[in-house]
Amino acid sequence: MQFKKKYKLKNNINDLKDIFGNLKTYGKYHPLIKNVILVNSKNSSKTEYIVKEQPFNWIPIRMKYLTVVRQKNNKIEYQIKKIPLTKVSFEYDFLHIGEMECEVEFKLSLKSKLLGKRIFLKKMIQAQDELMNNILEEDLYF
């Protein structure tokens, strides 16, 4: 299953790339992520993190998975690994519109043999909407 959506944010593109390129910072804005641990950062264009996420607040179950973050120019890709029977990847393309405005194109790819994959997809899309709103509301300039 594929999904694509564009967001307009009134932030500097470099500040946004700093947020999305560092999963520890990204996790502070993401509504489902509870903890992020840096695993490997030997390569400046590829970093690995262990992520703990709680998909549903009403169920006290957390998921744990590995995320590989790759950066190239104005593109950041998250490849999610170690979720049984599931392959997930996110891609963020940043387009500079103005000094304090840019467009972020979000692409999601989900391949899963799990029964609840449509619920999982919907939850990920809602989390992205909330993530973008959290970043938009945050004053990145102190």
Side-chain angles (χ1 to χ4, degrees), residues 2-7 75-78 88-93 104-110 128:
Q2 305 285 324
F3 177 80
K4 190 186 302 187
K5 185 172 182 177
K6 292 182 181 182
Y7 298 90
K75 184 181 288 191
I76 297 175
E77 179 185 317
Y78 289 18
V88 179
S89 65
F90 297 162
E91 190 176 291
Y92 299 97
D93 289 314
V104 180
E105 183 177 41
F106 168 68
K107 297 175 189 169
L108 166 64
S109 174
L110 171 66
Q128 286 301 307

Side-chain angles (χ1 to χ4, degrees), residues 59-117:
I59 301 175
I61 297 173
R62 291 190 178 184
M63 295 174 48
K64 180 178 171 183
Y65 52 84
L66 176 70
T67 301
V68 178
V69 179
R70 290 185 174 87
Q71 296 185 47
K72 187 174 180 183
N73 300 325
N74 286 343
K75 184 181 288 191
I76 297 175
E77 179 185 317
Y78 289 18
Q79 189 174 35
I80 309 215
K81 299 180 175 189
K82 299 194 178 182
I83 297 177
L85 305 172
T86 303
K87 289 185 180 184
V88 179
S89 65
F90 297 162
E91 190 176 291
Y92 299 97
D93 289 314
F94 300 89
L95 176 65
H96 179 78
I97 296 174
E99 185 177 330
M100 291 301 293
E101 186 175 17
C102 76
E103 182 177 88
V104 180
E105 183 177 41
F106 168 68
K107 297 175 189 169
L108 166 64
S109 174
L110 171 66
K111 295 177 184 173
S112 180
K113 295 183 181 190
L114 298 176
L115 292 175
K117 64 184 170 189

Side-chain angles (χ1 to χ4, degrees), residues 5-92:
K5 185 172 182 177
K6 292 182 181 182
Y7 298 90
K8 286 194 179 178
L9 298 174
K10 297 198 179 289
N11 302 96
N12 180 288
I13 193 168
N14 292 323
D15 292 333
L16 290 173
K17 286 173 29 182
D18 286 345
I19 291 170
F20 285 84
N22 181 337
L23 197 53
K24 285 181 112 15
T25 306
Y26 174 93
K28 293 176 184 176
Y29 295 96
H30 196 285
L32 306 178
I33 293 176
K34 301 303 178 194
N35 191 20
V36 177
I37 301 167
L38 177 64
V39 176
N40 183 359
S41 64
K42 292 179 185 175
N43 185 338
S44 64
S45 65
K46 176 185 168 186
T47 309
E48 296 178 341
Y49 300 89
I50 296 290
V51 178
K52 292 181 183 175
E53 183 176 304
Q54 187 170 351
F56 301 96
N57 288 332
W58 46 275
I59 301 175
I61 297 173
R62 291 190 178 184
M63 295 174 48
K64 180 178 171 183
Y65 52 84
L66 176 70
T67 301
V68 178
V69 179
R70 290 185 174 87
Q71 296 185 47
K72 187 174 180 183
N73 300 325
N74 286 343
K75 184 181 288 191
I76 297 175
E77 179 185 317
Y78 289 18
Q79 189 174 35
I80 309 215
K81 299 180 175 189
K82 299 194 178 182
I83 297 177
L85 305 172
T86 303
K87 289 185 180 184
V88 179
S89 65
F90 297 162
E91 190 176 291
Y92 299 97

